[in-house]
């Protein structure tokens, strides 16, 4: 399990992947060629993955994402240390904050 700021990255065994994983919408890369896991609303900094792979969004407004890194990759952010990730599948979860009457993503 890996954490960088408000992003949690959990390894997932390929056998535990949901059957619809191949049909999920693929997130595009940003202008710098990164897979953005979370974008800072205030600073514009991003928790992002560098390296070959795909980021697949699951349904729902707070739906987690599935990250596939066939050759491994690195999680980068302007204010955090780089986290190397071995090849495999991961579930990416944004930390949420409880606000009475609702739930919202934590602002970076």
């Amino acid at each position: 399990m890996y954490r960088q700021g408000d992003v949690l990255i959990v390894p997932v065994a390929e056998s535990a992947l949901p059957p619809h994983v191949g049909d999920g919408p693929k997130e595009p890369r940003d202008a710098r060629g990164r897979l953005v896991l979370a974008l800072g609303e205030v600073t514009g900094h991003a928790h992002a993955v560098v390296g070959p792979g795909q980021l697949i969004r699951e349904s729902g407004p707070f739906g987690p994402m599935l990250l596939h890194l066939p050759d491994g990759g690195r999680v980068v952010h302007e204010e955090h240390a780089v986290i190397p990730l071995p090849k495999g599948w991961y579930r990416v979860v944004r930390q949420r904050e409880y606000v009475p009457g609702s739930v919202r993503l934590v602002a970076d």
Side-chain angles (χ1 to χ4, degrees):
M1 194 173 336
Y2 307 87
R3 178 175 290 285
Q4 188 184 70
D6 58 344
V7 175
L8 178 66
I9 303 167
V10 182
V12 176
E14 195 162 350
S15 61
L17 291 171
H20 64 276
V21 70
D23 301 329
K26 315 284 187 291
E27 291 292 308
R29 291 180 178 269
D30 71 358
R32 295 167 58 184
R34 306 171 305 170
L35 295 168
V36 176
L37 307 179
L39 185 61
E41 297 85 359
V42 176
T43 63
H45 295 164
H47 298 279
V49 173
V50 178
Q54 292 184 332
L55 186 59
I56 303 162
R57 184 171 299 279
E58 294 188 75
S59 62
F62 299 116
M65 296 178 280
L66 291 170
L67 174 64
H68 181 226
L69 299 175
D71 301 321
R74 298 177 302 126
V75 182
V76 297
H77 186 278
E78 292 81 353
E79 297 173 338
H80 298 282
V82 172
I83 299 174
L85 296 175
K87 69 179 181 177
W89 283 91
Y90 299 88
R91 182 172 304 278
V92 179
V93 182
R94 291 278 311 273
Q95 183 174 341
R96 294 175 215 152
E97 180 178 17
Y98 174 74
V99 177
S102 69
V103 175
R104 69 181 179 110
L105 293 175
V106 172
D108 188 18

